[in-house]
């Protein structure tokens, strides 16, 4: 797929005899330009106004990688994107999520709310028990300082998404 080509490392693409380093650099420029266009588009209006744009942007941020990535979208009081940060890069089937560090960074940025995103390179977006536990912990931690966890999205393959919000897990979370 185009996404696979744009996200592939040079080592994989160099297996094709006629691919030059300059072509690889061009692919990476296209990918980066696309990310910046999405980001500019999101800055013009609240992030949650269009779920499709949010999902497109999150899929672009996580990319087609063989490693899990944890990404935070920091939002202002009106829901506009302040910043997107890759917080951690993990392994094939796990990424470390440190709620305390997420809280600290959210406060430093001055965000009113965040959307947490991570991918499951294995393809299945269903959350693990650890995903659920850390989401509950982060939700309550952020609530104590009046910051909203808008959603925790898990991106699988083929735009398959698990949304903690849409599944009702962020409406009323029990304290641990």
């Amino acid at each position: 797929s185009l996404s696979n080509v744009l996200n592939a490392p040079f080592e994989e693409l160099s297996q094709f005899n006629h691919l030059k380093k300059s072509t690889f650099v061009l692919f990476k420029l296209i990918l980066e330009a696309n990310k910046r266009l999405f980001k500019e588009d999101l800055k013009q209006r609240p992030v949650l106004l269009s779920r499709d744009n949010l999902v497109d942007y999150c899929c672009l941020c996580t990319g087609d990688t063989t490693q899990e990535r944890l990404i935070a979208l920091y939002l202002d009081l009106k829901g506009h994107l302040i910043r997107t940060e890759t917080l951690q890069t993990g392994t094939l089937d796990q990424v470390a999520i440190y709620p305390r560090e997420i809280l600290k960074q959210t406060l430093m940025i001055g965000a009113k709310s965040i959307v947490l995103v991570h991918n499951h390179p294995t393809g299945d977006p269903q959350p693990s028990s650890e995903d659920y536990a850390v989401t509950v912990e982060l939700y309550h931690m952020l609530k104590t300082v009046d910051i909203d966890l808008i959603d925790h999205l898990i991106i699988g393959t083929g735009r398959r998404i698990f949304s903690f919000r849409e599944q009702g897990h962020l409406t009323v979370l029990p304290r641990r």
Side-chain angles (χ1 to χ4, degrees):
S1 71
L2 178 60
S3 180
N4 285 342
V5 170
L6 293 177
N7 284 292
F10 181 70
E11 294 74 32
E12 277 184 40
L13 293 177
S14 65
Q15 295 174 4
F16 298 97
N17 295 334
H18 300 292
L19 183 80
K20 297 179 182 169
K21 182 84 170 176
S22 59
T23 305
F24 174 76
V25 171
L26 178 63
F27 288 165
K28 293 303 174 187
L29 284 172
I30 291 169
L31 182 63
E32 185 59 30
N34 200 14
K35 283 182 185 180
R36 289 180 186 209
L37 286 171
F38 267 118
K39 189 180 246 185
E40 287 303 314
D41 188 44
L42 285 176
K43 284 184 179 180
Q44 303 303 316
R45 61 184 189 285
V47 168
L48 302 177
L49 197 58
S50 167
R51 184 185 187 281
D52 286 341
N53 279 352
L54 176 63
V55 169
D56 287 344
Y57 183 70
C58 291
C59 287
L60 190 62
C61 288
T62 57
D64 285 338
T65 179
T66 58
Q67 296 172 298
E68 284 197 21
R69 286 188 188 146
L70 175 66
I71 296 168
L73 281 63
Y74 300 99
L75 311 172
D76 67 13
L77 191 59
K78 294 183 178 181
H80 292 96
L81 183 67
I82 299 171
R83 185 186 307 174
T84 302
E85 274 188 4
T86 299
L87 302 175
Q88 296 284 340
T89 299
T91 64
L92 173 66
D93 61 352
Q94 62 184 350
V95 65
I97 301 175
Y98 302 107
R100 184 175 185 270
E101 293 302 314
I102 294 170
L103 172 62
K104 183 171 94 174
Q105 187 67 3
T106 306
L107 290 169
M108 285 176 42
I109 290 171
K112 172 62 178 141
S113 57
I114 69 168
V115 175
L116 198 62
V117 181
H118 83 275
N119 62 321
H120 281 179
T122 56
D124 182 6
Q126 289 302 309
S128 66
S129 58
E130 293 84 10
D131 291 336
Y132 184 77
V134 77
T135 302
V136 170
E137 183 179 349
L138 181 61
Y139 174 87
H140 288 298
M141 194 178 281
L142 291 169
K143 274 291 181 210
T144 63
V145 290
D146 198 30
I147 296 171
D148 296 319
L149 176 60
I150 299 295
D151 207 343
H152 179 178
L153 298 172
I154 302 176
I155 313 290
T157 55
R159 290 182 47 89
R160 292 177 24 218
I161 308 292
F162 181 91
S163 163
F164 278 82
R165 169 82 50 201
E166 288 176 5
Q167 297 298 318
H169 298 300
L170 293 181
T171 51
V172 181
L173 288 175
R175 286 212 175 264
R176 295 191 308 151

